[in-house]
Amino acid sequence: MTAAQTGYSIPDLPAEFPFPHRHLLGIQDLSPDEIGYLLDLSDHYAEYNRARGPKLDLMRDKTLINLFFEDSTRTRTSFELAGMRLGADVINIAVASSSIKKGETIIDTAMTLNAMHADALAVRHNNAGAVKLLSEKVNCAVINGGDGSHEHPTQALLDALTIRRRKGHLQGLLVALCGDVAHSRVARSNIYLLQTMGARVRVIAPPTLIPPAMERLGVEVFTDMRAGLEDCDIVMMLRLQRERMQGSFVPSVHEYFKFYGLDYDKLQHAKPDALIMHPGPMNRGVEIDSDVADDIDRSLIREQVEMGVAVRMACLDVLTREGPVAAQ
């Protein structure tokens, strides 16, 4: 069944649309107009998914390969669902049992993928820059599903979409990113996107988890949770990424939660209608109290997961359509 048969029409991409990118490697590369279009298209797909429309045919006869060098549930699964809902053939490569695990280089991997004639490749890698290197060696569109502590562009897009759908806009909002900023690719991509779209950004963390010269990114930096949350519209908690930590960054999990875990006592310093977010996976009782995370009126965490599919549908759509959008 086609989109027309469902009662929905997929927006056409105007010939003059300024999206010259073949790949989506980071938010820093995108203009406000490009981000705005991706959010608008994602919003359309969010409604399409809620209407439980049948599979589309925009990627019929096209192949999406998911290549994840790090474990993932939300991101990999949502790319898989996005590809299938657009009509693509989807292949998930299990790195743990592949030739990559046996020592194959990323260049040889690229040659193998080229031989498969894929149309899109979603990649997560533990090293910053690895996805960009792969994009230079393959003959298809590449979407960065997270590379080291560098960027996670589709997460920032889905976070922005979630906020915009609830608040109606991004311009002028005050957003707090709280927790392990030093190791978070989510924080970096969100900082780029939110500021590009006119929001103010604060980071709140222990001094050990704030990167050097953080202020150069244009953010406000706080080490006191209550002071940092004053007047915030959005409170986004970040996971303690202990797998990336070498050495001790916090005295103990208990002490971390006492000073930096989000509970109702700390949340009352934000605006009365402040909304709560977390990119997942959550460590309950470490970054966030369960009662706060499950607050049906203020928590957007489940909606973030839902918007992930819509955003990845939009990105795959834009990067695999024929015409000016697919330009090199």
Side-chain angles (χ1 to χ4, degrees):
M1 183 176 287
T2 65
Q5 292 173 296
T6 68
Y8 286 84
S9 61
I10 305 301
D12 289 330
L13 298 176
E16 70 279 6
F17 179 69
F19 204 95
H21 312 286
R22 184 183 182 192
H23 311 293
L24 180 60
L25 303 179
I27 294 297
Q28 197 172 20
D29 303 326
L30 303 181
S31 70
D33 286 344
E34 291 164 355
I35 292 170
Y37 183 82
L38 288 174
L39 293 179
D40 289 345
L41 186 58
S42 299
D43 202 30
H44 172 90
Y45 280 125
E47 293 304 313
Y48 188 84
N49 290 335
R50 285 190 173 182
R52 303 184 71 85
K55 183 187 295 185
L56 301 170
D57 60 2
L58 292 173
M59 289 187 69
R60 185 178 57 190
D61 300 325
K62 295 182 179 180
T63 301
L64 164 66
I65 296 179
N66 286 324
L67 181 62
F68 278 58
F69 293 80
E70 290 183 322
D71 291 337
S72 169
T73 300
R74 293 160 185 78
T75 305
R76 186 193 60 78
T77 303
S78 63
F79 269 115
E80 184 176 3
L81 280 171
M84 290 191 296
R85 288 180 183 176
L86 291 173
D89 296 318
V90 181
I91 299 171
N92 294 307
I93 295 182
V95 171
S97 58
S98 70
S99 297
I100 298 164
K101 194 70 174 179
K102 300 172 185 176
E104 181 176 87
T105 69
I106 198 165
I107 304 301
D108 288 332
T109 299
M111 294 174 62
T112 301
L113 294 171
N114 279 335
M116 296 180 182
H117 303 293
D119 298 280
L121 182 63
V123 187
R124 170 169 289 186
H125 202 283
N126 56 310
N127 292 327
V131 179
K132 183 178 187 300
L133 175 61
L134 191 59
S135 74
E136 295 168 352
K137 306 297 181 181
V138 296
N139 299 324
C140 64
V142 175
I143 301 177
N144 184 0
D147 61 328
S149 299
H150 176 228
E151 277 220 52
H152 194 349
T154 57
Q155 180 69 46
L157 287 164
L158 75 88
D159 290 339
L161 179 64
T162 303
I163 295 169
R164 198 179 74 165
R165 284 172 65 89
R166 183 65 69 94
K167 291 289 190 181
H169 60 95
L170 297 170
Q171 179 78 34
L173 293 179
L174 180 54
V175 181
L177 306 177
C178 312
D180 187 1
V181 180
H183 303 97
S184 177
R185 54 197 173 207
V186 173
R188 185 179 296 271
S189 287
N190 266 295
I191 288 169
Y192 292 147
L193 189 151
L194 290 167
Q195 293 190 138
T196 297
M197 302 306 285
R200 290 170 55 201
V201 180
R202 289 179 179 172
V203 298
I204 308 170
T208 53
L209 293 177
I210 296 176
M214 192 72 198
E215 293 88 349
R216 293 181 184 176
L217 293 179
V219 302
E220 304 169 36
V221 178
F222 290 81
T223 56
D224 181 276
M225 185 78 163
R226 290 169 176 81
L229 290 179
E230 286 291 336
D231 297 322
C232 285
D233 298 286
I234 304 292
V235 182
M236 186 181 300
M237 304 308 298
L238 302 171
R239 181 175 65 87
L240 270 182
Q241 305 209 10
R242 283 173 279 194
E243 72 275 13
R244 302 191 195 282
M245 297 180 183
Q246 297 180 350
S248 178
F249 286 79
V250 296
S252 69
V253 167
H254 175 76
E255 192 164 345
Y256 180 83
F257 180 76
K258 177 181 178 181
F259 291 102
Y260 293 98
L262 186 65
D263 53 24
Y264 281 118
D265 177 60
K266 299 184 188 74
L267 184 60
Q268 69 179 348
H269 292 269
K271 285 184 178 178
D273 61 348
L275 300 173
I276 304 147
M277 303 179 74
H278 194 304
M282 287 187 292
N283 293 308
R284 293 171 181 262
V286 179
E287 300 118 20
I288 190 167
D289 181 77
S290 284
D291 288 342
V292 176
D294 298 331
D295 188 323
I296 60 173
D297 295 317
R298 303 183 70 177
S299 175
L300 301 180
I301 295 170
R302 290 186 180 180
E303 191 171 342
Q304 287 175 270
V305 177
E306 179 188 3
M307 293 304 111
V309 178
V311 161
R312 284 151 189 148
M313 288 176 73
C315 293
L316 287 168
D317 177 2
V318 166
L319 292 172
T320 59
R321 282 204 207 184
E322 304 296 330
V325 165
Q328 303 260 348

